[in-house]
Amino acid sequence: MTGPDGPGTAAGPGRATGSGQVAGSGQVAGTVTAAGPGGAAGRSAAAFRKRRLVVRLLVLPLLAGLVPLLAAPGAAHAATGCSGRPAKTVEFSTGELRVYKSRGLACAVTVAKKPGKRRTMSVTLQARGGHAVTDKGSYTKMAGPVTVNALNRCVRASGAIGKKSASTGWILC
């Protein structure tokens, strides 16, 4: 059978593709095979679904990686490593000290205003009646996080970048 698109194809009402001849009223004078689930069309549909799944599995992690880059500037606190809500932020000339509170824990970090070159940074957090926890070293962006148990206790925090520092005094009482 020859159609407008070449041998083996036909288009229009009462026409079909395959090895049989088509009568004008839609009767087939031969055998026309339709590809079922086990035929070639079934295999290509399954391959299409597999390809689509693979594309989704590859694209979704890439998109998830872009979300933090596209987030609002206010969402920068989430990248600090502390969980909980921001409780206190103290700015100083070279950076800021951030304290977070969640249920029974308090967490603190010192973040540089201009990250880049290595310099001495530190953060200290102490619950009233407990020992101070300190992270001090040569960092490019941030010191900490440090966490203490602060269930029903006041805490104080201090942070430093180079020779500049800040502290909170007793908070979360």
Side-chain angles (χ1 to χ4, degrees):
M1 173 159 98
T2 304
D5 297 333
T9 63
R15 299 190 181 253
T17 61
S19 61
Q21 298 293 323
V22 177
S25 65
Q27 297 175 353
V28 178
T31 58
V32 176
T33 58
R43 284 191 300 268
S44 65
F48 177 73
R49 283 191 297 268
K50 286 181 184 177
R51 278 190 302 249
R52 189 169 31 171
L53 178 65
V54 168
V55 168
R56 284 182 181 171
L57 291 174
L58 293 175
V59 170
L60 287 177
L62 291 174
L63 291 176
L66 289 176
V67 170
L69 297 176
L70 301 174
H77 292 285
T80 61
C82 287
S83 62
R85 62 176 175 79
K88 180 94 173 172
T89 300
V90 180
E91 293 187 20
F92 54 101
S93 63
T94 55
E96 60 185 27
L97 170 65
R98 298 177 186 167
V99 180
Y100 297 85
K101 173 79 171 158
S102 67
R103 292 201 178 239
L105 297 176
C107 181
V109 293
T110 301
V111 182
K113 278 188 181 176
K114 294 181 181 177
K117 65 178 187 174
R118 288 197 172 274
R119 52 198 153 168
T120 303
M121 295 186 194
S122 68
V123 62
T124 302
L125 184 63
Q126 179 182 11
R128 192 180 298 260
H131 295 285
V133 179
T134 301
D135 178 28
K136 183 176 182 177
S138 180
Y139 302 113
T140 58
K141 181 180 179 181
M142 167 176 91
V146 292
T147 305
V148 295
N149 185 0
L151 185 62
N152 299 322
R153 298 187 336 185
C154 301
V155 297
R156 65 179 171 188
S158 63
I161 299 175
K163 295 183 180 184
K164 306 294 182 179
S165 65
S167 62
T168 61
W170 292 108
I171 59 171
L172 306 177
C173 297

PDB file of all heavy atoms in Angstrom, residues 84-107:
ATOM      1  N   GLY A  84      16.909  26.064  64.537  1.00  0.00           N
ATOM      2  CA  GLY A  84      16.108  26.868  65.446  1.00  0.00           C
ATOM      3  C   GLY A  84      15.855  28.253  64.903  1.00  0.00           C
ATOM      4  O   GLY A  84      16.214  28.593  63.780  1.00  0.00           O
ATOM      5  N   ARG A  85      15.235  29.070  65.729  1.00  0.00           N
ATOM      6  CA  ARG A  85      14.892  30.431  65.308  1.00  0.00           C
ATOM      7  C   ARG A  85      15.996  31.384  65.748  1.00  0.00           C
ATOM      8  O   ARG A  85      16.635  31.187  66.788  1.00  0.00           O
ATOM      9  CB  ARG A  85      13.559  30.847  65.923  1.00  0.00           C
ATOM     10  CG  ARG A  85      13.570  30.885  67.426  1.00  0.00           C
ATOM     11  CD  ARG A  85      12.268  31.397  68.017  1.00  0.00           C
ATOM     12  NE  ARG A  85      12.277  31.297  69.459  1.00  0.00           N
ATOM     13  CZ  ARG A  85      12.883  32.151  70.276  1.00  0.00           C
ATOM     14  NH1 ARG A  85      13.519  33.167  69.779  1.00  0.00           N
ATOM     15  NH2 ARG A  85      12.843  31.986  71.582  1.00  0.00           N
ATOM     16  N   PRO A  86      16.227  32.449  64.970  1.00  0.00           N
ATOM     17  CA  PRO A  86      17.224  33.444  65.384  1.00  0.00           C
ATOM     18  C   PRO A  86      16.758  34.138  66.666  1.00  0.00           C
ATOM     19  O   PRO A  86      15.633  34.605  66.757  1.00  0.00           O
ATOM     20  CB  PRO A  86      17.254  34.436  64.223  1.00  0.00           C
ATOM     21  CG  PRO A  86      16.640  33.717  63.071  1.00  0.00           C
ATOM     22  CD  PRO A  86      15.690  32.728  63.638  1.00  0.00           C
ATOM     23  N   ALA A  87      17.604  34.174  67.669  1.00  0.00           N
ATOM     24  CA  ALA A  87      17.253  34.791  68.945  1.00  0.00           C
ATOM     25  C   ALA A  87      17.919  36.154  69.113  1.00  0.00           C
ATOM     26  O   ALA A  87      17.323  37.073  69.655  1.00  0.00           O
ATOM     27  CB  ALA A  87      17.653  33.879  70.100  1.00  0.00           C
ATOM     28  N   LYS A  88      19.150  36.291  68.653  1.00  0.00           N
ATOM     29  CA  LYS A  88      19.876  37.554  68.834  1.00  0.00           C
ATOM     30  C   LYS A  88      20.979  37.631  67.783  1.00  0.00           C
ATOM     31  O   LYS A  88      21.660  36.645  67.502  1.00  0.00           O
ATOM     32  CB  LYS A  88      20.493  37.596  70.234  1.00  0.00           C
ATOM     33  CG  LYS A  88      21.279  38.824  70.570  1.00  0.00           C
ATOM     34  CD  LYS A  88      20.408  39.817  71.273  1.00  0.00           C
ATOM     35  CE  LYS A  88      21.238  40.979  71.765  1.00  0.00           C
ATOM     36  NZ  LYS A  88      20.423  42.032  72.282  1.00  0.00           N
ATOM     37  N   THR A  89      21.141  38.821  67.202  1.00  0.00           N
ATOM     38  CA  THR A  89      22.239  39.082  66.271  1.00  0.00           C
ATOM     39  C   THR A  89      22.935  40.359  66.721  1.00  0.00           C
ATOM     40  O   THR A  89      22.282  41.381  66.920  1.00  0.00           O
ATOM     41  CB  THR A  89      21.726  39.250  64.829  1.00  0.00           C
ATOM     42  OG1 THR A  89      21.062  38.053  64.440  1.00  0.00           O
ATOM     43  CG2 THR A  89      22.866  39.518  63.868  1.00  0.00           C
ATOM     44  N   VAL A  90      24.243  40.274  66.894  1.00  0.00           N
ATOM     45  CA  VAL A  90      25.034  41.442  67.299  1.00  0.00           C
ATOM     46  C   VAL A  90      26.062  41.695  66.201  1.00  0.00           C
ATOM     47  O   VAL A  90      26.908  40.844  65.922  1.00  0.00           O
ATOM     48  CB  VAL A  90      25.745  41.202  68.647  1.00  0.00           C
ATOM     49  CG1 VAL A  90      26.551  42.426  69.055  1.00  0.00           C
ATOM     50  CG2 VAL A  90      24.752  40.825  69.725  1.00  0.00           C
ATOM     51  N   GLU A  91      25.977  42.872  65.581  1.00  0.00           N
ATOM     52  CA  GLU A  91      26.916  43.219  64.525  1.00  0.00           C
ATOM     53  C   GLU A  91      28.117  43.956  65.094  1.00  0.00           C
ATOM     54  O   GLU A  91      27.996  44.681  66.072  1.00  0.00           O
ATOM     55  CB  GLU A  91      26.226  44.097  63.480  1.00  0.00           C
ATOM     56  CG  GLU A  91      25.152  43.375  62.695  1.00  0.00           C
ATOM     57  CD  GLU A  91      24.609  44.210  61.554  1.00  0.00           C
ATOM     58  OE1 GLU A  91      25.288  45.173  61.125  1.00  0.00           O
ATOM     59  OE2 GLU A  91      23.504  43.900  61.102  1.00  0.00           O
ATOM     60  N   PHE A  92      29.267  43.751  64.464  1.00  0.00           N
ATOM     61  CA  PHE A  92      30.468  44.517  64.766  1.00  0.00           C
ATOM     62  C   PHE A  92      31.184  44.778  63.452  1.00  0.00           C
ATOM     63  O   PHE A  92      30.716  44.334  62.397  1.00  0.00           O
ATOM     64  CB  PHE A  92      31.341  43.829  65.837  1.00  0.00           C
ATOM     65  CG  PHE A  92      31.723  42.406  65.543  1.00  0.00           C
ATOM     66  CD1 PHE A  92      32.981  42.092  65.056  1.00  0.00           C
ATOM     67  CD2 PHE A  92      30.826  41.362  65.786  1.00  0.00           C
ATOM     68  CE1 PHE A  92      33.339  40.783  64.803  1.00  0.00           C
ATOM     69  CE2 PHE A  92      31.189  40.056  65.534  1.00  0.00           C
ATOM     70  CZ  PHE A  92      32.445  39.756  65.038  1.00  0.00           C
ATOM     71  N   SER A  93      32.269  45.516  63.483  1.00  0.00           N
ATOM     72  CA  SER A  93      32.846  46.036  62.245  1.00  0.00           C
ATOM     73  C   SER A  93      33.272  44.973  61.232  1.00  0.00           C
ATOM     74  O   SER A  93      33.190  45.208  60.034  1.00  0.00           O
ATOM     75  CB  SER A  93      34.028  46.950  62.555  1.00  0.00           C
ATOM     76  OG  SER A  93      35.053  46.233  63.195  1.00  0.00           O
ATOM     77  N   THR A  94      33.721  43.810  61.673  1.00  0.00           N
ATOM     78  CA  THR A  94      34.199  42.797  60.731  1.00  0.00           C
ATOM     79  C   THR A  94      33.232  41.638  60.520  1.00  0.00           C
ATOM     80  O   THR A  94      33.496  40.774  59.695  1.00  0.00           O
ATOM     81  CB  THR A  94      35.555  42.224  61.200  1.00  0.00           C
ATOM     82  OG1 THR A  94      35.409  41.733  62.527  1.00  0.00           O
ATOM     83  CG2 THR A  94      36.639  43.278  61.158  1.00  0.00           C
ATOM     84  N   GLY A  95      32.137  41.598  61.256  1.00  0.00           N
ATOM     85  CA  GLY A  95      31.194  40.490  61.092  1.00  0.00           C
ATOM     86  C   GLY A  95      30.024  40.608  62.033  1.00  0.00           C
ATOM     87  O   GLY A  95      29.668  41.705  62.481  1.00  0.00           O
ATOM     88  N   GLU A  96      29.420  39.477  62.327  1.00  0.00           N
ATOM     89  CA  GLU A  96      28.316  39.467  63.277  1.00  0.00           C
ATOM     90  C   GLU A  96      28.268  38.154  64.037  1.00  0.00           C
ATOM     91  O   GLU A  96      28.695  37.117  63.549  1.00  0.00           O
ATOM     92  CB  GLU A  96      26.983  39.759  62.594  1.00  0.00           C
ATOM     93  CG  GLU A  96      26.568  38.791  61.523  1.00  0.00           C
ATOM     94  CD  GLU A  96      25.290  39.244  60.818  1.00  0.00           C
ATOM     95  OE1 GLU A  96      25.000  40.455  60.773  1.00  0.00           O
ATOM     96  OE2 GLU A  96      24.592  38.367  60.309  1.00  0.00           O
ATOM     97  N   LEU A  97      27.736  38.242  65.250  1.00  0.00           N
ATOM     98  CA  LEU A  97      27.541  37.102  66.137  1.00  0.00           C
ATOM     99  C   LEU A  97      26.054  36.770  66.080  1.00  0.00           C
ATOM    100  O   LEU A  97      25.219  37.634  66.308  1.00  0.00           O
ATOM    101  CB  LEU A  97      27.958  37.466  67.564  1.00  0.00           C
ATOM    102  CG  LEU A  97      27.602  36.484  68.678  1.00  0.00           C
ATOM    103  CD1 LEU A  97      28.349  35.170  68.503  1.00  0.00           C
ATOM    104  CD2 LEU A  97      27.902  37.098  70.022  1.00  0.00           C
ATOM    105  N   ARG A  98      25.739  35.524  65.770  1.00  0.00           N
ATOM    106  CA  ARG A  98      24.343  35.095  65.667  1.00  0.00           C
ATOM    107  C   ARG A  98      24.069  34.003  66.685  1.00  0.00           C
ATOM    108  O   ARG A  98      24.817  33.034  66.795  1.00  0.00           O
ATOM    109  CB  ARG A  98      24.041  34.553  64.280  1.00  0.00           C
ATOM    110  CG  ARG A  98      24.216  35.566  63.178  1.00  0.00           C
ATOM    111  CD  ARG A  98      23.978  34.933  61.836  1.00  0.00           C
ATOM    112  NE  ARG A  98      24.283  35.871  60.753  1.00  0.00           N
ATOM    113  CZ  ARG A  98      24.411  35.517  59.486  1.00  0.00           C
ATOM    114  NH1 ARG A  98      24.273  34.255  59.138  1.00  0.00           N
ATOM    115  NH2 ARG A  98      24.684  36.420  58.573  1.00  0.00           N
ATOM    116  N   VAL A  99      22.969  34.159  67.428  1.00  0.00           N
ATOM    117  CA  VAL A  99      22.554  33.168  68.429  1.00  0.00           C
ATOM    118  C   VAL A  99      21.173  32.656  68.030  1.00  0.00           C
ATOM    119  O   VAL A  99      20.294  33.443  67.683  1.00  0.00           O
ATOM    120  CB  VAL A  99      22.505  33.778  69.847  1.00  0.00           C
ATOM    121  CG1 VAL A  99      22.084  32.727  70.865  1.00  0.00           C
ATOM    122  CG2 VAL A  99      23.850  34.373  70.218  1.00  0.00           C
ATOM    123  N   TYR A 100      21.007  31.343  68.086  1.00  0.00           N
ATOM    124  CA  TYR A 100      19.751  30.682  67.730  1.00  0.00           C
ATOM    125  C   TYR A 100      19.236  29.886  68.920  1.00  0.00           C
ATOM    126  O   TYR A 100      20.026  29.387  69.725  1.00  0.00           O
ATOM    127  CB  TYR A 100      19.955  29.729  66.549  1.00  0.00           C
ATOM    128  CG  TYR A 100      20.386  30.426  65.287  1.00  0.00           C
ATOM    129  CD1 TYR A 100      21.725  30.707  65.044  1.00  0.00           C
ATOM    130  CD2 TYR A 100      19.455  30.810  64.334  1.00  0.00           C
ATOM    131  CE1 TYR A 100      22.119  31.354  63.896  1.00  0.00           C
ATOM    132  CE2 TYR A 100      19.840  31.453  63.177  1.00  0.00           C
ATOM    133  CZ  TYR A 100      21.177  31.723  62.959  1.00  0.00           C
ATOM    134  OH  TYR A 100      21.569  32.369  61.818  1.00  0.00           O
ATOM    135  N   LYS A 101      17.913  29.723  68.992  1.00  0.00           N
ATOM    136  CA  LYS A 101      17.291  28.984  70.093  1.00  0.00           C
ATOM    137  C   LYS A 101      16.329  27.960  69.499  1.00  0.00           C
ATOM    138  O   LYS A 101      15.533  28.275  68.619  1.00  0.00           O
ATOM    139  CB  LYS A 101      16.514  29.963  70.985  1.00  0.00           C
ATOM    140  CG  LYS A 101      15.697  29.315  72.067  1.00  0.00           C
ATOM    141  CD  LYS A 101      16.535  28.904  73.224  1.00  0.00           C
ATOM    142  CE  LYS A 101      15.598  28.475  74.354  1.00  0.00           C
ATOM    143  NZ  LYS A 101      16.196  27.631  75.301  1.00  0.00           N
ATOM    144  N   SER A 102      16.418  26.717  69.969  1.00  0.00           N
ATOM    145  CA  SER A 102      15.463  25.679  69.592  1.00  0.00           C
ATOM    146  C   SER A 102      15.227  24.789  70.795  1.00  0.00           C
ATOM    147  O   SER A 102      16.172  24.307  71.405  1.00  0.00           O
ATOM    148  CB  SER A 102      15.979  24.850  68.422  1.00  0.00           C
ATOM    149  OG  SER A 102      17.105  24.098  68.792  1.00  0.00           O
ATOM    150  N   ARG A 103      13.991  24.621  71.155  1.00  0.00           N
ATOM    151  CA  ARG A 103      13.581  23.827  72.316  1.00  0.00           C
ATOM    152  C   ARG A 103      14.560  23.973  73.472  1.00  0.00           C
ATOM    153  O   ARG A 103      14.642  25.006  74.079  1.00  0.00           O
ATOM    154  CB  ARG A 103      13.371  22.379  71.933  1.00  0.00           C
ATOM    155  CG  ARG A 103      12.184  22.219  71.033  1.00  0.00           C
ATOM    156  CD  ARG A 103      11.655  20.833  71.049  1.00  0.00           C
ATOM    157  NE  ARG A 103      10.484  20.758  70.196  1.00  0.00           N
ATOM    158  CZ  ARG A 103       9.310  20.379  70.635  1.00  0.00           C
ATOM    159  NH1 ARG A 103       9.139  20.036  71.877  1.00  0.00           N
ATOM    160  NH2 ARG A 103       8.297  20.322  69.809  1.00  0.00           N
ATOM    161  N   GLY A 104      15.363  22.966  73.747  1.00  0.00           N
ATOM    162  CA  GLY A 104      16.263  23.027  74.888  1.00  0.00           C
ATOM    163  C   GLY A 104      17.698  23.365  74.540  1.00  0.00           C
ATOM    164  O   GLY A 104      18.590  23.224  75.369  1.00  0.00           O
ATOM    165  N   LEU A 105      17.959  23.800  73.292  1.00  0.00           N
ATOM    166  CA  LEU A 105      19.335  24.069  72.874  1.00  0.00           C
ATOM    167  C   LEU A 105      19.511  25.516  72.444  1.00  0.00           C
ATOM    168  O   LEU A 105      18.585  26.142  71.935  1.00  0.00           O
ATOM    169  CB  LEU A 105      19.719  23.169  71.706  1.00  0.00           C
ATOM    170  CG  LEU A 105      19.744  21.669  71.957  1.00  0.00           C
ATOM    171  CD1 LEU A 105      20.044  20.933  70.663  1.00  0.00           C
ATOM    172  CD2 LEU A 105      20.771  21.325  73.006  1.00  0.00           C
ATOM    173  N   ALA A 106      20.705  26.018  72.630  1.00  0.00           N
ATOM    174  CA  ALA A 106      21.111  27.307  72.091  1.00  0.00           C
ATOM    175  C   ALA A 106      22.336  27.053  71.220  1.00  0.00           C
ATOM    176  O   ALA A 106      23.162  26.183  71.509  1.00  0.00           O
ATOM    177  CB  ALA A 106      21.446  28.284  73.203  1.00  0.00           C
ATOM    178  N   CYS A 107      22.442  27.815  70.141  1.00  0.00           N
ATOM    179  CA  CYS A 107      23.525  27.627  69.180  1.00  0.00           C
ATOM    180  C   CYS A 107      24.041  28.997  68.780  1.00  0.00           C
ATOM    181  O   CYS A 107      23.267  29.964  68.718  1.00  0.00           O
ATOM    182  CB  CYS A 107      22.987  26.869  67.965  1.00  0.00           C
ATOM    183  SG  CYS A 107      24.206  26.541  66.686  1.00  0.00           S
TER     184      CYS A 107
END
